[in-house]
Amino acid sequence: MRSDEIKSGYQRAPNRSLLRSLGVTEREMDLPFIGIANAYNTIVPGHVHLRQLAEKVREGIAAAGGVPFEFGTIGICDGIAMGHEGMRSSLPSRENIADSIELMVDAHRFDGLVCIGTCDKIVPGMLMAAARCNIPTVVLTGGAMLSGYHEGKELSLIDVFEGVGKVAAGTMSEAELCELECCAMPGCGSCQGLYTANTMACMTEAMGMSLPGCAAIPAVDAAKLRIARETGEAILPLVNRKITPKKIITKKSLRNAIRVDMALGGSTNTILHLLAIASEAGIALTLDDFNDLAEQVPHICDMQPSGLHSMQTLYRAGGIPAVFRQLGKILDDCPTVSGRTTLRIARDATVRDETVIRSTASPVHEAGGLKVLKGSLAPDGAVVKCAAVPRAMWRHKGPARVYDGEQPAMKAILAREIKEGDVIVIRYEGPRGGPGMPEMLSPTSALVGLGYTKVVLVTDGRFSGGTRGPCIGHVAPEAAVGGPIAFVQDGDQIEVDLFLKKIDLCVDTKTLQKRKKIWKPLHKSLKGALARYAKTVEQANLGAVQT
């Protein structure tokens, strides 16, 4: 066992002495040591209940013949960080989480690992660490929050964000917004729709790194406690059989995750995270893989924010195993941490509601819910959740309204300076220029709340999984490194065509070359973690990983 390096032989007497001070018994010295990386804290709604889940995981590990050791990782709530400078810290936290787990695993020579996390950057960071450390690992995702409720309507956090725009438009009073604020988020768990946190939970299950059914179980359901116990039990067979993450996270399993992503119409952020996980696992995954699979996999679940259904509804309809069943042999047959293969899970699953999880013969849309666009504005790619874009806006050409940062754009939107037909360009918010690719949920929600229907938003930053409408992010190369988005000027025509997967700046090459000669990048004074991040981070089309 790997843990023998800290507990076997007379030379390790000092190490064992420290272990004994923790209460480790003589019998336990001969058992596998299992680390539990827990993102529990009391500032993130998706994490506040993870202490209880960790208790069940510990019980499962001990019952199955292991010795559990729990340690913490950080976790940032993107919703609380949204719309201000704190949002720049969110994506860099993914790398911090991966690093901290790696350091704990390497220092303490665990034989196996259980990762307990929820929310946008935590689960990706844990998966990156799992691939990097490559010791047997199971991931337990914490589950979604129940829907809010007000005056006969189910609510989510997006209703509150969009309410800000409605107040600015004069169609909602501040008192009415306060009522929404108090009703939308009824307790623990990740935000209710298929936003980034829940999409990543689904991706984790789809790639085989969590137990079947885990992703969609609500945070407060007793089934989540039961699967936590089963997760603890499941790590020991993996340790005994030496089944490591790189045997589970393969090119085929990542393609399965992409297929499920397309079928669900998930968050654009999953592209960023799956690329980063692939990088850690040494797998060649590119934006082209996403576009190829988007054409092969229909969109079969009409999920919030653009659709009708919450994660709780997906759970009641059968969860990810039922999605597997509907996709059938579109999926590759891959091993999972449960010991069952993907297609075996699909065969065993039941689709409880085909109006929620449709058949591939009767999809919501014929093609997948995400697209990668390329063109003169984004030579290395940009991403859009096409499932959330009205078909009337799949083709659009309009004048650019350019803003060097989210805050000036938000002020212009709330002041009603934007006109229908405009293409809002928010730049210097990329991996290096932001730094940290802050999400743009505040501007996108404000546009919806104000009633705009024909405005496109383009950024080298990111969009929340809660975003809906014609919002194109991850433009690469970003403005800070001299990508074409840096040279856009007010009034330039920008053309978007989701059918052809194109995004073009309609300015001739000579004019752009002249602009480039006099261009000076926007300078930001940085220190600490963000300064280090900005120096080492790659572009969005490479997963925004640090090198």
Side-chain angles (χ1 to χ4, degrees):
M1 289 187 292
R2 191 170 184 264
S3 59
D4 286 344
E5 295 178 41
I6 62 169
K7 63 185 183 182
S8 293
Y10 73 89
Q11 301 98 327
R12 295 293 171 240
N15 311 65
R16 288 194 300 275
S17 183
L18 290 166
L19 292 167
R20 292 181 196 281
S21 76
L22 302 173
V24 176
T25 66
E26 191 68 39
R27 181 185 69 86
E28 289 176 320
M29 288 290 184
D30 295 326
L31 300 179
F33 281 10
I34 309 298
I36 303 173
N38 187 358
Y40 163 80
N41 62 51
T42 60
I43 185 62
V44 183
H47 295 180
V48 72
H49 65 301
L50 297 185
R51 177 182 285 174
Q52 186 180 21
L53 295 184
E55 290 174 1
K56 302 302 288 186
V57 170
R58 289 199 303 270
E59 289 176 13
I61 291 170
V67 186
F69 297 92
E70 186 177 349
F71 60 91
T73 68
I74 65 167
I76 286 174
C77 177
D78 280 19
I80 296 174
M82 195 73 67
H84 56 85
E85 286 299 304
M87 191 65 224
R88 304 190 189 286
S89 297
S90 177
L91 186 58
S93 77
R94 184 188 72 178
E95 318 304 308
N96 179 289
I97 291 161
D99 289 348
S100 66
I101 293 174
E102 176 194 8
L103 293 172
M104 289 295 288
V105 166
D106 281 354
H108 299 104
R109 314 313 288 167
F110 295 126
D111 299 299
L113 179 68
V114 176
C115 294
I116 308 173
T118 315
C119 299
D120 298 31
K121 309 307 171 302
I122 293 82
V123 173
M126 289 177 164
L127 287 167
M128 291 166 66
R132 189 186 300 173
C133 297
N134 203 35
I135 65 170
T137 302
V138 186
V139 178
L140 173 68
T141 50
M145 188 185 297
L146 298 181
S147 295
Y149 186 82
H150 181 62
E151 295 183 348
K153 180 188 174 186
E154 287 192 340
L155 300 175
S156 75
L157 181 64
I158 306 309
D159 293 286
V160 186
F161 270 101
E162 293 180 359
V164 173
K166 291 178 181 178
V167 171
T171 58
M172 177 183 284
S173 69
E174 288 192 45
E176 288 172 322
L177 179 59
C178 185
E179 287 184 30
L180 281 184
E181 171 189 334
C182 294
C183 297
M185 310 297 282
C188 66
S190 51
C191 299
Q192 300 96 331
L194 194 69
Y195 316 142
T196 305
N198 291 324
T199 309
M200 278 310 306
C202 295
M203 297 305 93
T204 303
E205 185 176 333
M207 73 178 71
M209 285 298 291
S210 61
L211 295 183
C214 181
I217 300 172
V220 297
D221 197 299
K224 185 60 76 173
L225 295 174
R226 293 193 292 271
I227 206 165
R229 166 77 182 229
E230 291 165 354
T231 296
E233 294 173 354
I235 187 61
L236 270 301
L238 297 178
V239 170
N240 293 334
R241 293 164 53 207
K242 296 181 172 58
I243 305 297
T244 61
K246 287 186 179 180
K247 295 179 180 178
I248 304 289
I249 303 173
T250 63
K251 183 67 175 278
K252 286 185 176 181
S253 75
L254 287 173
R255 285 173 67 87
N256 275 349
I258 296 170
R259 290 180 177 109
V260 171
D261 203 1
M262 296 300 174
L264 295 173
S267 165
T268 53
N269 284 317
T270 56
I271 295 179
L272 199 69
H273 298 323
L274 290 175
L275 289 170
I277 294 161
S279 176
E280 293 289 356
I283 297 167
L285 191 72
T286 70
L287 292 179
D288 291 336
D289 288 289
F290 291 85
N291 263 349
D292 291 345
L293 292 170
E295 298 303 319
Q296 301 171 23
V297 182
H299 176 212
I300 62 173
C301 296
D302 193 25
M303 300 293 292
Q304 295 174 356
S306 56
L308 299 172
H309 305 306
S310 67
M311 285 297 292
Q312 187 176 3
T313 304
L314 181 67
Y315 170 60
R316 289 170 176 165
I320 298 305
V323 175
F324 279 4
R325 186 173 182 87
Q326 295 290 54
L327 293 179
K329 291 190 177 180
I330 291 176
L331 298 171
D332 287 318
D333 200 19
C334 298
T336 75
V337 292
S338 70
R340 292 187 288 160
T341 67
T342 307
L343 294 185
R344 172 65 186 275
I345 293 167
R347 287 194 298 270
D348 293 344
T350 300
V351 182
R352 300 191 185 97
D353 189 342
E354 285 210 7
T355 66
V356 177
I357 306 173
R358 301 191 189 188
S359 72
T360 55
S362 181
V364 182
H365 298 110
E366 293 295 328
L370 300 174
K371 286 184 184 290
V372 175
L373 313 180
K374 290 187 178 181
S376 59
L377 185 61
D380 293 336
V383 301
V384 62
K385 186 195 286 191
C386 55
V389 181
R391 206 43 88 95
M393 288 299 292
W394 276 43
R395 283 196 179 101
H396 181 79
K397 186 175 183 179
R401 298 294 303 275
V402 184
Y403 301 94
D404 289 345
E406 177 187 2
Q407 295 306 319
M410 187 66 176
K411 288 178 183 177
I413 292 167
L414 293 177
R416 304 300 295 267
E417 295 173 6
I418 303 302
K419 297 177 182 179
E420 291 282 24
D422 285 348
V423 178
I424 300 172
V425 176
I426 302 178
R427 62 191 179 192
Y428 293 106
E429 297 288 19
R432 294 187 185 182
M437 294 186 78
E439 291 182 346
M440 305 291 167
L441 183 57
S442 295
T444 59
S445 298
L447 287 168
V448 173
L450 284 162
Y452 288 101
T453 60
K454 297 180 180 178
V455 172
V456 175
L457 201 159
V458 178
T459 181
D460 51 9
R462 297 182 295 125
F463 291 116
S464 163
T467 293
R468 58 191 176 111
C471 303
I472 300 163
H474 304 200
V475 169
E478 64 177 298
V481 299
I485 194 173
F487 313 128
V488 183
Q489 294 184 1
D490 279 338
D492 289 347
Q493 292 289 307
I494 293 176
E495 186 171 10
V496 175
D497 190 326
L498 302 193
F499 295 101
L500 297 178
K501 300 189 281 286
K502 296 273 288 179
I503 181 167
D504 287 313
L505 174 60
C506 303
V507 175
D508 64 86
T509 303
K510 285 186 177 180
T511 300
L512 288 178
Q513 288 175 343
K514 288 179 182 178
R515 293 179 185 179
K516 187 173 184 178
K517 286 180 180 179
I518 61 172
W519 168 72
K520 292 182 180 179
L522 185 69
H523 175 74
K524 295 181 180 179
S525 180
L526 301 172
K527 61 181 180 179
L530 290 182
R532 293 192 297 273
Y533 181 84
K535 288 178 181 178
T536 58
V537 68
E538 292 280 10
Q539 291 295 286
N541 62 302
L542 300 175
V545 295
Q546 284 185 276
T547 57

